[in-house]
Amino acid sequence: MFANEEDILKQAEKWKHEGREVAIATVVETWGSAPRPVGSHLVIDGEGNFLGSVSGGCVEGAVVTEALEVIDEGSPRMLEFGVADETAWKVGLSCGGRIRVYLEPLD
Amino acid sequence: MKLDILAAMNAERAARRACVLVSDLDSGEQRLVVEAALGEDPLAPLLLAQLRSGKSGMVESGGRRLFLTVQAPPIRLVITGAVHISQAMVPMARQLGLDAVIIDPRTAFATPERFPNVRLVPEWPDEALPRIGLDRYTAFVALTHDPKIDDPALSAALRSDCFYIGALGSRKTHARRVERLTEAGFTPADIGRIHAPIGLSIGAVSPAEIALAILAEVVASLRQGDGA
């Protein structure tokens, strides 16, 4: 079964209680055709395990990498992905949309 | 996010209560506004409008960029009658993200063969409903035509905050139902909450078409009504 938003946030709480470091990514804005709606979550633990999605799989890798930094630094950051991005050919949304993702540590 | 905020959000969801997480994206500050406190919050109009839309989103308030994470309980569809229309309705409800429950004490109707992969309660509504609980995130649909089964369930629905109440039956059947509910002490305003004839008027004939008409009416109440 696919994880719904509910399972994702419960998992984040469970991970934290198990003593893992956790970061939560939330889609806060979208423009054009974006694969996941505003409010979608991706949760990441300190080992890079993740649950949920913020895109159709296009940028999750980059979000996970940034999440590990956010966990280290302990402060939130805003990420933006889209075809206008310089890194479009590396990490971007092939659908042509643009998304902004708020990434925060769970503390 | 603080762990206690996340734990509170998860607890509200488990209790089927709405809440809105307000995140100031510039300062990183966050606070959780639970359903009971929404009306008195300084941002009440913004929060309530966002909750009504059922979606999370960005708003501006006092020059600050706020992200509102809306958490509304899953919408439940409680049906009396393990009948042909409900068989058609269950997969459609699933597609719409509605959490269906079927109640029917007639065990010949309420069988897992007829209703696979859905919560099936082969009991009388008066026994089953208090346990299931009807709240403002619940739509109730009476489909048996049988007053013995539908009436007690309708009474429970009328005493609850269900955002939608519908009952199957011809105008004649409904007129008799109105008489019975009036005798039971319900006011015309109470009884007026019941959608009957049930469903949007699309000339539905087959069970699947009737199911579609009913679910369309449920969605209209959810998204356009004053309900959840």
Side-chain angles (χ1 to χ4, degrees):
Chain A
M1 209 180 102
F2 292 110
N4 54 31
E5 295 302 312
E6 189 169 326
D7 302 327
I8 294 164
L9 291 184
K10 259 191 218 149
Q11 191 63 42
E13 188 184 346
K14 187 162 165 266
W15 279 349
K16 191 70 185 175
H17 281 302
E18 287 170 6
R20 303 198 212 179
E21 294 301 324
V22 179
I24 300 175
T26 308
V27 177
V28 292
E29 280 183 290
T30 66
W31 296 265
S33 108
R36 295 284 288 135
V38 167
S40 301
H41 293 295
L42 173 70
V43 299
I44 308 99
D45 78 358
E47 305 279 288
N49 296 302
F50 63 93
L51 187 69
S53 65
V54 291
S55 74
C58 320
V59 303
E60 272 74 7
V63 177
V64 169
T65 307
E66 299 253 2
L68 300 179
E69 294 174 21
V70 161
I71 286 172
D72 272 348
E73 292 167 14
S75 53
R77 61 173 75 164
M78 192 71 82
L79 312 175
E80 198 173 322
F81 300 98
V83 286
D85 208 281
E86 289 165 12
T87 61
W89 298 106
K90 280 184 261 167
V91 176
L93 297 173
S94 50
C95 51
R98 209 145 58 88
I99 61 171
R100 196 173 276 168
V101 175
Y102 186 67
L103 184 58
E104 58 188 321
L106 179 62
D107 43 40
Chain B
M1 189 187 290
K2 300 260 182 258
L3 179 59
D4 58 348
I5 290 185
L6 179 64
M9 285 175 77
N10 286 336
E12 291 304 297
R13 194 190 299 103
R16 287 186 60 80
R17 286 189 299 258
C19 62
V20 181
L21 173 70
V22 183
S23 306
D24 184 321
L25 296 183
D26 299 314
S27 72
E29 272 170 47
Q30 285 174 321
R31 62 191 182 89
L32 186 67
V33 186
V34 297
E35 188 173 303
L38 279 168
E40 273 94 70
D41 195 85
L43 299 176
L46 280 177
L47 302 187
L48 290 168
Q50 201 70 44
L51 179 61
R52 215 167 297 123
S53 78
K55 292 183 204 132
S56 301
M58 193 85 90
V59 296
E60 285 221 9
S61 168
R64 291 178 308 154
R65 290 185 314 148
L66 304 175
F67 185 71
L68 305 181
T69 305
V70 168
Q71 189 173 272
I75 302 296
R76 215 162 32 180
L77 177 67
V78 176
I79 304 167
T80 49
V83 296
H84 201 168
I85 297 170
S86 6
Q87 283 181 293
M89 201 180 276
V90 166
M92 290 184 198
R94 193 174 300 131
Q95 287 279 305
L96 292 167
L98 304 172
D99 216 346
V101 184
I102 315 260
I103 304 170
D104 198 324
R106 301 169 299 180
T107 46
F109 285 79
T111 67
E113 289 73 33
R114 287 164 47 82
F115 289 90
N117 309 317
V118 65
R119 187 168 165 207
L120 193 58
V121 185
E123 292 172 30
W124 289 91
D126 356 18
E127 295 162 8
L129 283 176
R131 198 176 59 240
I132 292 165
L134 300 172
D135 58 25
R136 57 193 294 256
Y137 302 98
T138 303
F140 171 73
V141 176
L143 296 182
T144 72
H145 300 102
D146 183 342
K148 285 200 304 300
I149 302 170
D150 281 351
D151 280 12
L154 277 168
S155 302
L158 289 175
R159 283 191 296 266
S160 79
D161 295 333
C162 283
F163 73 90
Y164 175 91
I165 303 174
L168 188 73
S170 66
R171 282 170 212 284
K172 220 191 265 175
T173 303
H174 188 61
R176 283 196 296 270
R177 183 184 286 139
V178 170
E179 281 171 25
R180 290 192 305 272
L181 290 170
T182 306
E183 273 168 38
F186 289 102
T187 66
D190 292 334
I191 296 168
R193 288 175 63 201
I194 302 174
H195 290 80
I198 196 171
L200 293 188
S201 175
I202 57 170
V205 175
S206 70
E209 289 171 3
I210 297 168
L212 177 68
I214 295 171
L215 289 176
E217 196 170 61
V218 169
V219 171
S221 295
L222 176 65
R223 298 299 177 206
Q224 299 176 336
D226 342 308

